[in-house]
Amino acid sequence: MSEKSSSSSSDEDVDPESGQPHELGGVLSKWTNYIHGWQDRWVVLKNNTLSYYKSEDEREYGCRGSLCLSKAVITPHEFDECRFDVSVNDSVWYLRAEDPEHRLQWIESIELHKAESGYGSETSLRRHGSMLSLTSAASALSSTSTSSFKYEIEDDDDDFPTSARPDSEYNHNNNGSKEKLFSPASPKGINGIDFKGEAITFKATTAGILSTLSHCIELMTKREDSWQKRLDKELEKRRKVEDAYKSAVNELKKKSHYGGPDYEEGPNSLINEEEFFDAVEAALDRQDKIEEQCQSEKVRKPRLTMASPSDAYSTIGTHRFANKPYSHSSSLSSIELISASDDIHRFSPQVEETVQNHMAYSIQEEGGGANWQLVAEEGAMKVYRREVEENGIVLDPLKATHAVKGVTGHEVCHYFWDTAVRLDWETTVENFHVVEKLSDNAIIVYQTHKTVWPVAQRDVLFLSVIRMIPPRNESEPDTWIVCNISVEHDDVPLTNRCVRAKLNVAMICQTLVSPPEGDKEISRDNISCRVSYVANVNPGGWFPASILRPVAKREYPKFLKRFSSYVQEKTAGKPILF
């Protein structure tokens, strides 16, 4: 992961003219979910907001998410020097920088933007005033006596004789005095301002306002006790709601973070072994349910196109003996096509040694000095295990024996080796491809397995070889073997997204034939296959031993049953391949 900066930020993170922090942008790894893990995203820090885009080129399509940094909490990871978490309430972003220096740059820039947002500072809004201020103002206004507004009483004579004024110009009061309603015409003209009329109007309006305010204050004072009780009840309800909210948020954080990187398989995982096992078992149950639905509905994902039976069989350098009485001489004729001299490549010595070891395992007696322990038994199928641990990692060799009716050893090994049909029966593989073809019978395959959270995703790189083991005498049955051995290849380096598992697996199959009656042709009712499956797998990583053994005990028998049923289904009604 390489981090790029598209911002104009320099050593000074704040613009000296505007006083605002500069925009910062670059590539950070963001934890998406437990299926896809860490993904590179273009992250932009601008205007107190942290936003991310799928890539720099897709900025014009809008961001995929953003966080306001006013209340954000930035937490550098305790163990990962490149990782830091940004959380706002129950929303958490897990981010990883290219190196510790870039992580420090991002953290300092985010803190600077957060500080410049002014959240919680003295400049933030505050409430002022209260009911008392309203009461005080109203009381002050109500204390103003109406006597402050005095009428002008016309007790004396003006420049105009009293007798010349009609009585309609005066308002006769109870005390016998007269109140002038209209001022006399000014000698300067009739356009003068009637100050007395304006004063009377202002007084009446003010008196009405004061009366209304006094009545409102009186009502508010009378109901103050009732309101206070209601307020206390509402405050108590609010306190209970806030407590419930905090409790719900804490539970939500636990659930939302439970799928985060801190709970994934690793040396510092926060999940305990019991929760780890429950999560793995639940994920496997979901996969089984999905597979059962696919089988019942005959729904298949797009697969690689499978070659016709004749073409498929020819790819491994053998030919069929269809509708013929079985004879050992016919099976021996195929030995020449699968001899070791025709299958020479740079891994040939390693393959020869591995084949010999697996053949020894297949004939080794269970129990006794071999210390094979029977861990599962169902019908003709038995699964054995030897407990081996190295540096805390489970390396238990497994051995399974099974009998499959109506198929030959060649057919079982063919379907186990042929990559064209692998995804039809292998439900744990997410994807694969052939890295290199060494010969007609040897290929190097890279495959990634489906994620079973909280287990980290695994990948394997292995050499797969199919061959026939020549019988030592005519009494021995035909034996076919497929070996899958972990190797290294320059085109497939290690990746930090997967844990590279190591494997050494063999499928050893022998064809057993019961001669038909009389001159009848041999049919599938007369044949069966004895299967020995030997596996030595190093899962790598930090998979707890207490969990790996129960999972292996559960999954290996299911795999053998599923695969053998698949071979029987594919060969039914077809010519027998010896």
Side-chain angles (χ1 to χ4, degrees):
M1 177 193 65
S2 62
E3 181 172 350
K4 302 175 290 184
S5 177
S6 66
S7 68
S8 58
S9 61
S10 60
D11 294 337
E12 296 294 334
D13 291 334
V14 178
D15 189 338
E17 296 181 359
S18 64
Q20 296 295 327
H22 280 293
E23 175 183 353
L24 178 63
V27 177
L28 293 176
S29 287
K30 183 179 182 294
W31 177 265
T32 54
N33 52 55
Y34 65 83
I35 296 178
H36 300 289
W38 296 98
Q39 298 289 334
D40 288 346
R41 295 289 183 261
W42 182 262
V43 182
V44 175
L45 176 60
K46 182 181 181 181
N47 297 334
N48 192 37
T49 302
L50 190 65
S51 308
Y52 79 91
Y53 307 79
K54 186 174 182 181
S55 64
E56 183 180 6
D57 297 333
E58 295 189 9
R59 291 187 61 178
E60 60 183 16
Y61 300 118
C63 69
R64 293 197 165 197
S66 63
L67 289 178
C68 179
L69 299 177
S70 297
K71 299 182 181 180
V73 178
I74 297 89
T75 308
H77 197 266
E78 182 179 359
F79 304 106
D80 192 339
E81 295 182 350
C82 298
R83 174 182 155 189
F84 63 97
D85 303 341
V86 181
S87 59
V88 178
N89 296 330
D90 58 342
S91 179
V92 182
W93 286 11
Y94 306 102
L95 303 172
R96 293 187 81 253
E98 178 183 10
D99 48 47
E101 289 75 15
H102 282 89
R103 181 184 78 165
L104 179 60
Q105 179 188 2
W106 275 97
I107 292 176
E108 290 178 347
S109 298
I110 293 174
E111 292 288 1
L112 184 58
H113 275 254
K114 179 181 175 183
E116 290 296 328
S117 67
Y119 177 78
S121 65
E122 294 296 331
T123 61
S124 58
L125 295 177
R126 297 178 295 179
R127 295 182 60 189
H128 296 283
S130 63
M131 185 186 296
L132 294 178
S133 63
L134 178 60
T135 305
S136 301
S139 299
L141 290 172
S142 63
S143 64
T144 304
S145 173
T146 57
S147 62
S148 61
F149 300 94
K150 297 180 179 179
Y151 294 102
E152 181 183 353
I153 306 299
E154 300 295 334
D155 291 330
D156 55 343
D157 295 333
D158 289 333
D159 295 335
F160 301 92
T162 306
S163 59
R165 299 171 183 166
D167 292 339
S168 60
E169 294 183 4
Y170 297 92
N171 181 28
H172 296 271
N173 295 330
N174 294 331
N175 55 9
S177 62
K178 297 179 181 179
E179 179 182 342
K180 185 188 295 184
L181 296 179
F182 304 99
S183 59
S186 173
K188 297 180 181 180
I190 62 175
N191 295 326
I193 299 176
D194 184 7
F195 288 102
K196 184 176 289 187
E198 293 293 336
I200 293 172
T201 303
F202 177 75
K203 176 185 176 181
T205 303
T206 307
I209 293 174
L210 291 176
S211 176
T212 303
L213 289 174
S214 298
H215 182 64
C216 290
I217 292 172
E218 183 180 358
L219 290 177
M220 292 171 66
T221 303
K222 289 180 179 180
R223 300 192 63 180
E224 183 177 4
D225 293 339
S226 175
W227 285 359
Q228 186 62 42
K229 292 179 181 179
R230 293 177 61 182
L231 176 62
D232 293 339
K233 290 182 180 180
E234 292 299 325
L235 291 175
E236 180 64 20
K237 290 181 180 179
R238 179 175 180 175
R239 185 188 63 79
K240 293 181 179 180
V241 171
E242 287 178 346
D243 292 342
Y245 172 76
K246 290 179 181 178
S247 177
V249 167
N250 291 333
E251 291 297 324
L252 182 62
K253 284 183 177 180
K254 292 180 181 179
K255 293 180 179 180
S256 62
H257 296 174
Y258 197 74
D262 293 326
Y263 290 85
E264 194 177 29
E265 172 194 354
N268 303 304
S269 177
L270 300 181
I271 190 171
N272 58 46
E273 289 194 6
E274 183 177 354
E275 293 173 335
F276 195 107
F277 178 76
D278 291 342
V280 170
E281 192 171 42
L284 292 175
D285 288 340
R286 286 193 296 269
Q287 288 188 2
D288 290 344
K289 187 175 181 179
I290 293 174
E291 182 62 23
E292 289 176 1
Q293 292 176 350
C294 292
Q295 291 292 341
S296 61
E297 299 173 4
K298 298 297 182 182
V299 175
R300 294 288 185 183
K301 295 182 179 179
R303 305 297 189 193
L304 298 175
T305 303
M306 188 177 71
S308 63
S310 59
D311 293 339
Y313 293 149
S314 64
T315 60
I316 56 176
T318 59
H319 53 270
R320 292 173 290 135
F321 299 91
N323 300 321
K324 294 181 180 180
Y326 174 78
S327 66
H328 193 70
S329 59
S330 63
S331 66
L332 290 178
S333 63
S334 65
I335 299 176
E336 297 177 359
L337 301 175
I338 310 297
S339 62
S341 60
D342 294 334
D343 195 23
I344 302 300
H345 46 78
R346 64 181 182 276
F347 293 103
S348 295
Q350 181 180 354
V351 171
E352 293 301 323
E353 181 181 359
T354 303
V355 168
Q356 296 301 323
N357 292 336
H358 281 304
M359 291 302 297
Y361 263 128
S362 67
I363 63 175
Q364 193 176 57
E365 293 293 334
E366 294 78 16
N371 294 324
W372 288 105
Q373 302 174 9
L374 181 64
V375 295
E377 182 176 7
E378 184 175 348
M381 180 176 57
K382 296 181 180 180
V383 179
Y384 302 88
R385 178 184 67 206
R386 286 194 305 165
E387 293 189 359
V388 177
E389 287 190 29
E390 184 177 323
N391 298 325
I393 300 177
V394 176
L395 303 176
D396 294 351
L398 284 167
K399 177 182 178 181
T401 60
H402 192 29
V404 185
K405 295 182 179 180
V407 296
T408 65
H410 191 175
E411 291 170 332
V412 173
C413 285
H414 162 70
Y415 284 105
F416 185 70
W417 181 83
D418 190 5
T419 57
V421 297
R422 176 161 300 172
L423 292 180
D424 287 341
W425 57 266
E426 179 58 275
T427 60
T428 64
V429 173
E430 184 175 76
N431 55 64
F432 75 93
H433 69 273
V434 176
V435 178
E436 182 180 356
K437 180 178 179 181
L438 301 175
S439 67
D440 290 341
N441 309 312
I443 55 176
I444 296 178
V445 179
Y446 173 74
Q447 67 185 27
T448 57
H449 290 263
K450 296 177 181 177
T451 302
V452 181
W453 192 87
V455 180
Q457 188 174 22
R458 258 63 178 181
D459 64 354
V460 288
L461 177 65
F462 60 93
L463 166 66
S464 185
V465 179
I466 182 173
R467 65 167 52 180
M468 179 180 181
I469 305 299
R472 290 173 295 184
N473 52 64
E474 293 188 358
S475 62
E476 285 187 354
D478 288 346
T479 302
W480 285 81
I481 184 172
V482 175
C483 288
N484 293 338
I485 318 162
S486 286
V487 294
E488 295 182 358
H489 199 283
D490 294 338
D491 293 342
V492 188
L494 295 174
T495 172
N496 56 5
R497 298 187 184 278
C498 296
V499 176
R500 182 66 55 86
K502 303 291 184 180
L503 57 84
N504 188 351
V505 175
M507 176 79 77
I508 305 169
C509 303
Q510 294 178 320
T511 303
L512 305 179
V513 180
S514 59
E517 296 180 358
D519 296 333
K520 293 182 179 180
E521 294 181 348
I522 191 171
S523 67
R524 292 195 176 274
D525 295 333
N526 304 116
I527 60 174
S528 64
C529 177
R530 183 166 59 198
V531 179
S532 293
Y533 182 76
V534 182
N536 291 272
V537 180
N538 180 354
W542 298 269
F543 207 117
S546 59
I547 299 172
L548 183 58
R549 288 191 173 106
V551 170
K553 179 180 177 180
R554 160 185 167 152
E555 293 301 311
Y556 273 104
K558 289 168 56 178
F559 152 70
L560 285 175
K561 287 178 60 179
R562 180 173 64 249
F563 176 68
S564 58
S565 297
Y566 172 79
V567 176
Q568 288 176 323
E569 175 186 345
K570 299 299 289 185
T571 56
K574 294 182 179 180
I576 301 174
L577 176 69
F578 288 102

